[in-house]
Amino acid sequence: MWAYLLRRLFESALILLGITFVTFVLLYLVPADPARQIAGRSATAATVENIRDQLGLNDPLVVQYWRYLTGLAQGDMGRSYLQRAEVSSLIAARLPASLLLMVSAIVTELIIGLTIGVVAALRRNRPVDHSLMIFSFVAISAPQFVIGILLLYVFAVQLGWFPIGGYGTFAHLVLPSVTLGLLGAGWYSRMMRSSMIEVLNQDLVRTARAKGLSKLRIVTRHVMPNAILPIIAMIGIDIGLFMSGIVVVESVFGWPGIGQLAWQAIQRVDIPVIMGVTMVSATAIVLGNLLADLVAPLIDPRIKTK
Amino acid sequence: MKSMLLSSALGLSMIAAGAQAQVDENAPQGGEMIVTYQDDVATLDPAIGYDWQNWSMIKSLFDGLMGYEPGTTTLRNELAETYDISEDGQTYTFTLKDGIKFHNGREIVADDVKYSLERVTDPETRSPGAGFFGMIEGFDTWNAGEGEGLSGVRVVDDKTVEITLSRPDATFGHVMALNFASIVPREAVEEAGEDFGRRPVGSGAFRLAEWTPGQQLVFERFGEYHRDGVPKLDRVSFNIGLEPTVALLRIQNGDADVPGDGIPPAQFLQVVNDAEYEDQIVEGGQLQTGYITMNTQMAPFDNVDVRKAVNMAINKDRIVQMINNRAVPANQPLPPSMPGYAEDYEGYEYDPEAARQMLADAGFPDGFETELFVMNVDPNPRIAQAIQQDLSEIGITAGIRSLAQANVIAAGGESDQAPMIWSGGMAWIADFPDPSNFYGPILGCAGAVPGGWNWSWYCNEEIDARAADADAMVGDAAAREDAWRQIYVDIMADAPWVPVFNEQRFTLHSDAVAGDDSLFVDPVHIPVNYDYIYSTEAE
């Protein structure tokens, strides 16, 4: 187990190193010159040159990359070109909001997804099942931007139940979590439905019924715990899905997380911030996958850590 | 902001040049205004901030020696009580007002002026505005990282500072009114270091009370501001992270007063035609021109007749219609509200027939193939298509290269990359209301260098010399204006651009805030003048 963990951690570190390299090279190749962006249109050539020099942009790629890596190893992600603040402090200020949104989106997608899946499975091939599956199909296919604006319009503007975007209270959290969680809820409802149907057809259900257990008891005690196993392993992988989703959802709802930070940094070619956010999300995805692999054998002994 | 150069453009717009201040002295004090923005504020450091959003915020947090009458482009003294210009126009002596204070309570003295000007021109500061101060004596050595400060700035006593220029420059007053010339307290700058942009201390009408990254900024009235009765509002809150469509929903709901990013283009017609908003939308001009550049160093645009033919081929009215009349057609580089605009200049009339003839006479009876570069954000690709169609009418086949903004700018900055560029989304907007601001970087020889903004690569040394002479005309504003007017008319004879339109500006505001219309389309404060607008709910 420990050897396995160590090996996986080592592999994860290698993956992250690869990501720093690829991102760094890609950003280096972008034709937009950060010095010119900072200098603005009225700057003289001398000003641009001075900025380029101070930021070390005249050094060869390898030198720049090495400088970034050695900084990173010491926990220094550099300073934002535009805001001049330390990237680590910019990210630290925004990470809690993103984590909160992510956790609450996971809860939302599980609640919605599992409920729909269970109900659909128990009402298999009936109108309820069909309409729920159409709903999940829509949830998977609809762009999050559209869903977000739609929810805002209906529940915040028309009904006035929630604030129109922003951050702070539980009420602020609801709509963004639903928007972000709906996609996963669509997937989970389909997975849960087929998983439930599979378990419902197994011998243990017939035995339980033969014992005279109530239907409710059979479903809650015997079917659901078995059906839910494959889904738990999926949550870790979900984090990757969320990382792309939060950029959109945070910008629709004005949620002050790292997605918003990333979006603004990309527009303004603020390379240290883009690198920083990429590193943090890559780390989250790698750790999420690692966690999923570690948890899987605990809940299903048939899976072995090798 | 979206239609502008994202990170580094800013500019002025105006309703009428030279109009008098329209400030209601009896407007009540108190109340609050909420302004929405999508993006977080990059910085509030006046030496560094150079975008739409922070330009106006910095104006409210900081003051310089000079400023503008609210709602106009008329210069006025700000922290300066008086100033004298020497006979030769090269020495300015500023006397500071009495009892003016920074937000930290310390009185402002002449040393602060010297420190602030040296800070913005210090290469270590990496200020995008350093180049504006090139006329101050000693700039070249100090900005190159040599010497001990700006030799042209001399502190006479606590109240008096003398600034010597290396050449007479009529724009110096405007330069001293730029945010970059704001007066900052040394102790606060040194204490905050690189974080001064997060913890700004100035002497403006408001002080920064709160900044929660990604969420909101709160400005509070500075009680010891040097102008009595200013600002009108107690607080201005900036709610950050609101997508323009969402911002509009908030305004409709009464949760916000001004959408800082403007009316979203997709909803523009709907909002403007809605009777409910009739009294809440203010329209004003802008010191902006949208144009097509033709690279005068690339064949066949090195032929002036080809450039003239293209000027006659473009149907500007149709393009203006395409963007829902959010602009007026242009025939010269300067926008109509800029001093120096040539009222009676007629430009090149739209006449495809004559254009085709002229092209044939220039040696291209069958036209030619070329490329039109354009920024890939709506409505610019659509405008490029209209231009493409107009060109095909006279036999020119133009392929459209629709690219990200930075890539178009990069191509324009190379002498042999982009034969034609539609400037939309990157078009020039004046930094200050002076005709010279439309010349140097975009039409002068200084801008026709790799990485420059003169995408026509037009360099006429005779005109360059006349521009330098015009800027040296200190004191005779009318003669100077005439000189500039003639310069732009003569440039049009060489036709390096097709001037297409001048954008109009539309500001939406809730009925909870009020003030003269000019304050809502203030040329120097975009979107609105935070200092003079008042709350209708205040007593």
Side-chain angles (χ1 to χ4, degrees):
Chain A
M1 179 70 196
W2 289 111
Y4 171 77
L5 184 63
L6 273 178
R7 205 188 74 216
R8 286 299 307 268
L9 280 174
F10 178 70
E11 283 171 7
S12 303
L14 273 187
I15 292 172
L16 288 176
L17 188 68
I19 291 171
T20 60
F21 182 72
V22 172
T23 321
F24 203 92
V25 171
L26 281 177
L27 289 172
Y28 182 85
L29 292 176
V30 169
D33 179 352
R36 260 183 222 163
Q37 288 274 329
I38 297 166
R41 22 159 247 184
S42 298
T44 58
T47 308
V48 178
E49 196 47 41
N50 164 46
I51 291 173
R52 199 175 286 137
D53 201 48
Q54 286 201 32
L55 297 177
L57 295 171
N58 283 328
D59 298 334
L61 173 64
V62 188
V63 175
Q64 290 189 42
Y65 181 59
W66 181 247
R67 192 166 47 220
Y68 186 80
L69 269 193
T70 46
L72 203 60
Q74 298 160 23
D76 178 8
M77 300 172 113
R79 277 178 180 273
S80 156
Y81 286 165
L82 277 145
Q83 311 195 21
R84 310 254 167 134
E86 281 182 5
V87 173
S88 49
S89 72
L90 289 176
I91 292 177
R94 285 161 173 276
L95 206 53
S98 286
L99 287 178
L100 176 67
L101 179 59
M102 225 188 270
V103 169
S104 100
I106 290 177
V107 173
T108 312
E109 68 178 6
L110 286 176
I111 293 176
I112 300 179
L114 297 188
T115 314
I116 291 179
V118 170
V119 173
L122 295 177
R123 294 278 176 277
R124 190 176 358 156
N125 293 332
R126 293 195 209 160
V128 179
D129 177 28
H130 291 314
S131 30
L132 285 174
M133 283 306 103
I134 289 173
F135 170 81
S136 78
F137 182 70
V138 171
I140 292 169
S141 330
Q144 283 172 320
F145 181 80
V146 176
I147 293 190
I149 293 278
L150 210 68
L151 289 179
L152 263 182
Y153 188 71
V154 174
F155 293 101
V157 177
Q158 294 296 319
L159 298 173
W161 293 353
F162 300 103
I164 309 174
Y167 176 77
T169 65
F170 179 74
H172 287 98
L173 184 60
V174 177
L175 293 181
S177 310
V178 171
T179 310
L180 191 56
L182 220 48
L183 174 64
W187 286 115
Y188 283 146
S189 61
R190 298 193 148 230
M191 282 176 57
M192 188 65 183
R193 178 177 174 274
S194 49
S195 177
M196 281 275 291
I197 290 171
E198 201 187 310
V199 180
L200 280 169
N201 288 332
Q202 282 175 10
D203 293 344
L204 67 102
V205 176
R206 200 180 48 203
T207 313
R209 206 175 286 154
K211 281 199 303 189
L213 292 182
S214 74
K215 192 166 185 190
L216 181 72
R217 207 174 159 83
I218 295 175
V219 170
T220 53
R221 285 292 172 83
H222 295 279
V223 182
M224 282 176 60
N226 279 303
I228 212 164
L229 286 180
I231 291 184
I232 292 177
M234 283 291 293
I235 297 174
I237 297 163
D238 254 11
I239 292 174
L241 207 63
F242 279 147
M243 276 298 167
S244 61
I246 57 171
V247 175
V248 177
V249 174
E250 288 184 353
S251 94
V252 171
F253 289 94
W255 194 262
I258 58 169
Q260 207 189 51
L261 186 69
W263 177 237
Q264 289 172 20
I266 290 166
Q267 285 180 312
R268 301 179 186 190
V269 205
D270 197 344
I271 290 176
V273 178
I274 302 176
M275 282 299 294
V277 176
T278 311
M279 285 316 297
V280 169
S281 11
T283 311
I285 293 170
V286 168
L287 285 182
N289 277 303
L290 182 59
L291 212 64
D293 289 353
L294 290 178
V295 169
L298 297 182
I299 50 179
D300 188 348
R302 285 171 298 182
I303 304 170
K304 288 245 171 61
T305 49
K306 283 199 197 111
Chain B
M1 182 165 169
K2 285 284 132 56
S3 65
M4 312 302 167
L5 180 60
L6 276 170
S7 63
S8 50
L10 74 102
L12 312 169
S13 48
M14 62 193 303
I15 49 166
Q20 275 314 296
Q22 303 286 329
V23 176
D24 183 356
E25 295 292 343
N26 300 319
Q29 258 189 327
E32 186 186 11
M33 171 165 72
I34 299 173
V35 181
T36 67
Y37 274 109
Q38 174 158 29
D39 290 346
D40 203 357
V41 177
T43 175
L44 289 173
D45 185 335
I48 296 164
Y50 194 25
D51 64 41
W52 281 112
Q53 190 184 22
N54 60 23
W55 190 257
S56 177
M57 292 181 176
I58 289 170
K59 283 234 168 286
S60 286
L61 295 175
F62 292 87
D63 271 343
L65 295 175
M66 305 296 293
Y68 294 95
E69 295 286 349
T72 74
T73 53
T74 313
L75 274 172
R76 72 171 180 187
N77 295 356
E78 208 61 59
L79 295 178
E81 179 75 50
T82 58
Y83 66 94
D84 294 313
I85 310 175
S86 67
E87 277 295 309
D88 63 359
Q90 284 183 241
T91 305
Y92 286 66
T93 310
F94 293 92
T95 311
L96 296 179
K97 284 180 180 164
D98 281 325
I100 42 175
K101 284 182 177 169
F102 286 118
H103 297 156
N104 65 10
R106 182 170 73 72
E107 186 159 338
I108 302 171
V109 293
D111 274 325
D112 294 313
V113 177
K114 184 172 170 67
Y115 170 73
S116 302
L117 292 177
E118 285 178 351
R119 173 172 183 260
V120 72
T121 48
D122 185 340
E124 297 277 318
T125 307
R126 304 199 300 269
S127 169
F132 286 112
F133 300 90
M135 76 281 278
I136 297 179
E137 199 178 85
F139 171 86
D140 291 339
T141 46
W142 174 239
N143 190 239
E146 296 153 25
E148 293 288 319
L150 277 172
S151 58
V153 183
R154 200 169 68 83
V155 174
V156 179
D157 57 49
D158 268 1
K159 288 271 160 243
T160 317
V161 64
E162 193 184 88
I163 302 177
T164 310
L165 310 185
S166 51
R167 55 175 188 264
D169 192 323
T171 64
F172 185 64
H174 288 296
V175 168
M176 293 312 282
L178 287 170
N179 282 355
F180 300 115
S182 298
I183 309 304
V184 295
R186 176 197 287 261
E187 67 276 13
V189 174
E190 285 176 353
E191 200 253 321
E194 294 267 37
D195 289 333
F196 187 65
R198 294 259 139 200
R199 293 187 270 142
V201 179
S203 61
F206 288 98
R207 56 177 197 84
L208 178 69
E210 183 196 324
W211 184 347
T212 318
Q215 293 179 51
Q216 76 162 0
L217 291 89
V218 177
F219 286 8
E220 267 176 11
R221 165 205 304 285
F222 174 43
E224 296 179 85
Y225 189 53
H226 65 88
R227 282 181 200 281
D228 288 338
V230 180
K232 300 293 174 201
L233 295 159
D234 282 342
R235 283 154 66 91
V236 181
S237 299
F238 299 92
N239 289 352
I240 304 297
L242 296 169
E243 215 269 329
T245 315
V246 178
L248 195 62
L249 294 178
R250 280 212 174 181
I251 306 255
Q252 288 168 349
N253 215 35
D255 293 340
D257 300 307
V258 173
D261 296 316
I263 305 167
Q267 274 108 321
F268 181 75
L269 277 186
Q270 179 203 333
V271 171
V272 171
N273 294 331
D274 190 334
E276 192 187 331
Y277 294 116
E278 207 182 336
D279 302 327
Q280 297 175 22
I281 295 176
V282 184
E283 180 180 352
Q286 275 203 102
L287 293 180
Q288 186 268 6
T289 304
Y291 47 86
I292 306 164
T293 60
M294 289 170 278
N295 191 327
T296 57
Q297 300 193 7
M298 284 174 85
F301 294 113
D302 53 352
N303 182 333
V304 64
D305 288 331
V306 171
R307 303 198 296 265
K308 285 181 183 170
V310 172
N311 260 283
M312 292 189 284
I314 306 298
N315 186 346
K316 298 167 188 176
D317 293 324
R318 189 169 62 126
I319 294 175
V320 167
Q321 253 170 23
M322 274 178 53
I323 57 167
N324 297 325
N325 296 313
R326 296 180 82 156
V328 290
N331 65 13
Q332 56 190 295
L334 290 186
S337 39
M338 179 73 103
Y341 178 78
E343 287 287 348
D344 42 12
Y345 176 69
E346 282 170 4
Y348 298 93
E349 285 292 324
Y350 171 59
D351 187 349
E353 202 50 51
R356 203 175 301 125
Q357 189 56 48
M358 187 167 238
L359 205 58
D361 293 346
F364 299 94
D366 304 319
F368 53 85
E369 284 188 17
T370 186
E371 279 183 327
L372 174 63
F373 283 62
V374 55
M375 178 178 156
N376 59 4
V377 173
D378 188 70
N380 298 308
R382 287 190 291 133
I383 293 175
Q385 282 170 5
I387 296 169
Q388 181 185 44
Q389 222 176 340
D390 288 340
L391 291 175
S392 75
E393 287 289 309
I394 65 164
I396 300 174
T397 313
I400 293 180
R401 295 282 304 273
S402 181
L403 302 168
Q405 184 190 55
N407 301 19
V408 180
I409 294 173
E414 300 290 333
S415 63
D416 56 356
Q417 291 285 309
M420 298 179 92
I421 300 177
W422 160 242
S423 72
M426 308 157 289
W428 195 256
I429 300 158
D431 294 300
F432 50 82
D434 188 273
S436 65
N437 197 246
F438 262 79
Y439 181 74
I442 43 176
L443 285 163
C445 297
V449 292
W453 281 76
N454 184 341
W455 301 334
S456 299
W457 290 80
Y458 173 70
C459 173
N460 183 333
E461 278 165 13
E462 185 247 319
I463 287 190
D464 240 32
R466 280 164 58 195
D469 289 345
D471 272 352
M473 293 164 78
V474 182
D476 191 350
R480 180 164 176 272
E481 207 177 303
D482 282 340
W484 273 113
R485 184 174 295 116
Q486 202 50 50
I487 286 173
Y488 287 109
V489 169
D490 291 348
I491 288 174
M492 279 314 290
D494 284 338
W497 287 4
V498 183
V500 177
F501 59 57
N502 306 110
E503 270 176 29
Q504 292 286 97
R505 184 172 150 206
F506 296 82
T507 307
L508 174 67
H509 66 88
S510 76
D511 47 20
V513 291
D516 191 88
D517 274 359
S518 64
L519 298 174
F520 287 95
V521 284
D522 191 299
V524 250
H525 298 252
I526 293 170
V528 298
N529 189 320
Y530 302 127
D531 298 359
Y532 287 87
I533 280 173
Y534 65 91
S535 163
T536 53
E537 283 149 15
E539 292 298 314

